[in-house]
Amino acid sequence: MVVVTDPQQALTAAQAALAQALHCHEVSDHQAGQVAAQQALELAQQAQAPELQAQAGAVLALHLHRNGEVEAALAQGQQALNLMPEHADGGLRARLLSTLALSCDQLELPVDALDYALAALDCARQAGEAGPVCLAMCRVASAYVRMANPARADTFAQQALELARLHHDGEQMFRALNTLIDSKLEQGDALALSGEHEAARQCFAEALAFSDEAVTLGAASGELYRANVGRINHGVVLLKVDQAEEALAEFDQALAVAQAHGFELMISASFDMRAQALMQLNRLPEAIDLMERALSSIDVHEDPGAFEQLHEHLYEAHKRQGDLAKALLHHERLRELERLRFRQRESTHLRVLLTKAELERSRVTAERAEMEAQIQRLRAFELQVERDALAAQAHELGRHAAEDALTGLPNRRAMDLQLAALFALDGDQASAAPWSLAVLDLDHFKLINDRFGHAVGDDVLRAVGSLLSHGLRPPDVVGRMGGEEFLILLRNTPLEQAMPVCERLRQLIESHDWAALTPEVGGLRLRVTASLGVCRVMPGEDMRSALERADNAMYRAKQSGRNRVVAQA
């Protein structure tokens, strides 16, 4: 296993390995392709790239199948399907489902094969890709052949062939033609068994026409595996139409290619088909010798079907030679193999079911984990919303606690806190940064309430608050101390600078268009003025003393006729 710690490097390496695995498929090098696909899968896992894992798993399943590891191909394909995200390419999903259908077909699981094939067809149609649609149709047709329903198989295979011809897709044309060959041979054998020999010959003739075209396409493709499939199938059809010599030549060539490139399933198939051709040519000793050598070269556990067929054909060959003892021996062995194959098939089916169940359990577990994670994320979001709401509420409460509800200015409590902070500075700091205090009181405010009403009085207070807050510099602060009294902090402002500021504020109030708040009452118009007392805070002075001096200055302004600014030295 290649370990790459950096996820991006692992992703790049996985993509390169997958490209190599796909190239190996194109040139029929399935041994090297299996190694490259396995490497791509491991690297994609390290890169935590689910879609790339699914692609690598799908290609690995195809190479495993071509290398004769059909059950492993099915298991790998099912894992790849589970890894594939919902948004994955529909064509990719369709091809993977088609590979699973092929594996199930080889494992004699026709119902599962049909289910996967129909699912592949649905995905391919949704994706709108002709190639995957043709492939899926062929898989559906193959499942129907396996289920002894050649009429339905013909329908899907013909549709696949027409679509492939329309798109000039040689690979899919080849696949559809071979599916039609299987279907026609199945129909012909059934008709021959029922005594309808003429109808059987017609089916075999149609199969031969399809086979001739498939061989040409396979040779033109440049893919050795595909070309060899065409040769073997052509040879099978030639046997059906009593052209054994031509069939033998095809099987000889197919066997040479299969042995040279390690096409395990083809090797055993070619041995058996060559023997059948020799038997048809009545070259029984050669056929028997070939099959005996094949028996010694094939592992019964790896390919029990081929082993069983060889014993069946040896039984027939010895019987035709009149060697009944040997024929009986192979017949008995055939029965044992049939029982073994039945047990192996049931065991395989059980393993497949267990694998599917385990994958389904893993899928459900993963979905449950994702759902629980989603619930946790929602809970965390809800908690954050609640915290934000509480923080906003606390901020709002704090704001209200420090804000005058009528004017929106800082209230008495807030101003006391600011003053306390300023007076907490030591004397040197206070002298280095002089500041002044001003107390502003509206003149005759009780008369305003009495003559124009408390609602107008509230409007006056709000307007004064706005005038003061907009008339000050950003460092300065104004707050409502209560009633019609306001306190102004002028930061870094000595008394000689504070006086013009206060005078400007007084003029803002006096010149404001107060008549806009209310009409005349009894011939009197609303007029608002203010008296201000201002003092400089002395170094070392306490807060109470400074407030008293500013307050005294404001009272002197009142006593001097109001609507003026008086300073307290």
Side-chain angles (χ1 to χ4, degrees):
M1 177 178 177
V2 179
V3 178
V4 180
T5 55
D6 181 74
Q8 187 57 48
Q9 291 181 358
L11 181 63
T12 303
Q15 291 168 337
L18 180 58
Q20 178 64 26
L22 289 168
H23 173 71
C24 289
H25 175 257
E26 292 174 1
V27 299
S28 301
D29 188 357
H30 298 292
Q31 296 292 337
Q34 181 175 330
V35 173
Q38 181 66 49
Q39 185 179 17
L41 178 61
E42 292 170 357
L43 288 166
Q45 290 170 343
Q46 293 173 40
Q48 297 182 345
E51 192 162 346
L52 191 60
Q53 289 180 55
Q55 293 176 19
V59 176
L60 177 58
L62 182 57
H63 283 300
L64 286 166
H65 188 93
R66 292 289 177 87
N67 289 327
E69 300 179 47
V70 181
E71 189 175 338
L74 178 60
Q76 183 58 61
Q78 289 171 327
Q79 290 177 9
L81 187 64
N82 264 20
L83 284 170
M84 194 168 291
E86 289 299 323
H87 64 274
D89 172 39
L92 172 64
R93 184 182 290 272
R95 290 185 182 90
L96 178 53
L97 287 164
S98 293
T99 301
L100 291 170
L102 178 61
S103 297
C104 287
D105 183 75
Q106 293 290 323
L107 292 170
E108 299 182 47
L109 295 166
V111 175
D112 290 307
L114 183 59
D115 286 343
Y116 280 126
L118 289 172
L121 183 56
D122 184 53
C123 282
R125 283 172 171 165
Q126 289 182 22
E129 297 183 28
V133 169
C134 290
L135 174 60
M137 283 181 173
C138 289
R139 295 291 179 250
V140 172
S142 294
Y144 278 124
V145 170
R146 179 74 70 173
M147 298 169 75
N149 191 343
R152 291 288 291 164
D154 274 0
T155 299
F156 281 95
Q158 285 286 1
Q159 289 177 1
L161 182 59
E162 291 169 8
L163 184 60
R165 290 192 198 281
L166 180 65
H167 290 271
H168 306 288
D169 189 333
E171 179 182 358
Q172 300 306 331
M173 286 169 63
F174 178 82
R175 183 173 284 111
L177 287 166
N178 281 286
T179 305
L180 282 166
I181 292 168
D182 289 343
S183 178
K184 292 302 178 183
L185 293 180
E186 184 77 17
Q187 293 178 60
D189 288 340
L191 290 167
L193 283 174
S194 63
E196 300 178 54
H197 299 292
E198 184 57 37
R201 281 193 291 273
Q202 179 61 36
C203 283
F204 294 147
E206 291 178 28
L208 183 59
F210 291 134
S211 180
D212 288 338
E213 185 179 357
V215 167
T216 302
L217 283 171
S221 71
E223 186 183 333
L224 291 175
Y225 193 95
R226 189 187 306 173
N228 233 30
V229 169
R231 289 191 192 98
I232 293 174
N233 288 345
H234 191 233
V236 171
V237 178
L238 288 170
L239 284 178
K240 295 293 183 181
V241 295
D242 299 323
Q243 296 183 31
E245 288 286 359
E246 293 84 350
L248 185 59
E250 293 284 15
F251 295 141
D252 285 341
Q253 189 175 0
L255 179 60
V257 172
Q259 288 176 326
H261 294 86
F263 300 157
E264 297 298 331
L265 292 178
M266 286 186 179
I267 293 172
S268 57
S270 298
F271 272 127
D272 184 55
M273 299 315 300
R274 288 184 76 250
Q276 287 189 56
L278 290 168
M279 287 174 63
Q280 195 172 105
L281 292 168
N282 208 30
R283 293 160 60 178
L284 296 178
E286 291 179 65
I288 290 171
D289 179 65
L290 179 62
M291 288 187 284
E292 292 287 358
R293 285 189 290 114
L295 281 176
S296 64
S297 65
I298 298 174
D299 189 334
V300 64
H301 297 291
E302 290 184 0
D303 196 352
F307 216 74
E308 186 179 325
Q309 281 187 334
L310 287 168
H311 277 289
E312 181 179 359
H313 295 145
L314 280 167
Y315 158 71
E316 293 174 357
H318 284 299
K319 187 171 68 169
R320 284 173 58 181
Q321 273 195 324
D323 193 343
L324 298 183
K326 288 185 177 179
L328 180 60
L329 181 65
H330 286 291
H331 186 272
E332 290 174 348
R333 182 58 176 151
L334 177 61
R335 299 284 79 79
E336 292 174 8
L337 287 170
E338 286 177 343
R339 289 192 293 271
L340 174 63
R341 186 164 65 90
F342 178 79
R343 289 195 299 271
Q344 287 180 332
R345 184 174 62 188
E346 293 305 307
S347 177
T348 298
H349 292 182
L350 179 60
R351 286 195 300 273
V352 169
L353 288 173
L354 289 174
T355 300
K356 287 179 69 175
E358 178 61 24
L359 288 170
E360 181 64 16
R361 186 191 66 80
S362 298
R363 184 186 65 80
V364 171
T365 300
E367 287 181 354
R368 183 183 295 114
E370 175 58 29
M371 188 178 297
E372 289 175 353
Q374 181 66 14
I375 291 171
Q376 291 301 321
R377 286 193 291 269
L378 287 173
R379 286 177 178 168
F381 177 74
E382 290 173 355
L383 288 173
Q384 185 60 47
V385 169
E386 290 178 6
R387 283 195 293 268
D388 291 345
L390 288 172
Q393 185 179 9
H395 175 75
E396 190 69 11
L397 289 172
R399 186 176 67 84
H400 286 311
E403 184 181 279
D404 177 56
L406 183 63
T407 63
L409 297 175
N411 60 16
R412 174 85 183 240
R413 180 174 179 273
M415 295 301 290
D416 284 346
L417 289 173
Q418 292 207 43
L419 284 171
L422 286 170
F423 277 96
L425 297 172
D426 59 35
D428 290 340
Q429 288 174 311
S431 61
W435 51 284
S436 300
L437 276 179
V439 174
L440 181 150
D441 191 86
L442 298 181
D443 298 328
H444 303 299
F445 187 71
K446 183 177 183 304
L447 291 176
I448 293 174
N449 281 332
D450 292 342
R451 289 175 179 173
F452 297 96
H454 286 278
V456 173
D458 289 345
D459 289 340
V460 168
L461 291 172
R462 276 190 287 268
V464 169
S466 177
L467 290 170
L468 294 176
S469 61
H470 286 90
L472 291 171
R473 302 164 303 175
D476 301 330
V477 180
V478 60
R480 184 184 176 204
M481 301 301 284
E484 65 271 25
E485 186 174 276
F486 297 83
L487 180 64
I488 302 168
L489 279 67
L490 301 172
R491 298 177 182 273
N492 301 323
T493 307
L495 185 60
E496 58 271 18
Q497 294 177 13
M499 286 295 291
V501 173
C502 291
E503 177 59 25
R504 180 166 50 81
L505 294 176
R506 184 198 67 76
Q507 291 176 8
L508 279 174
I509 295 171
E510 182 181 25
S511 61
H512 185 68
D513 183 14
W514 295 106
L517 289 181
T518 181
E520 294 182 6
V521 176
L524 297 175
R525 298 179 62 189
L526 177 62
R527 180 173 178 269
V528 180
T529 61
S531 298
L532 291 89
V534 59
C535 72
R536 179 193 170 185
V537 176
M538 306 302 292
E541 186 176 16
D542 61 40
M543 183 173 69
R544 180 176 182 139
S545 171
L547 285 172
E548 285 181 355
R549 290 196 302 114
D551 210 38
N552 289 336
M554 183 271 294
Y555 278 114
R556 289 209 312 276
K558 293 278 191 184
Q559 293 166 358
S560 302
R562 294 183 173 83
N563 192 24
R564 66 196 60 212
V565 178
V566 172
Q568 175 71 44

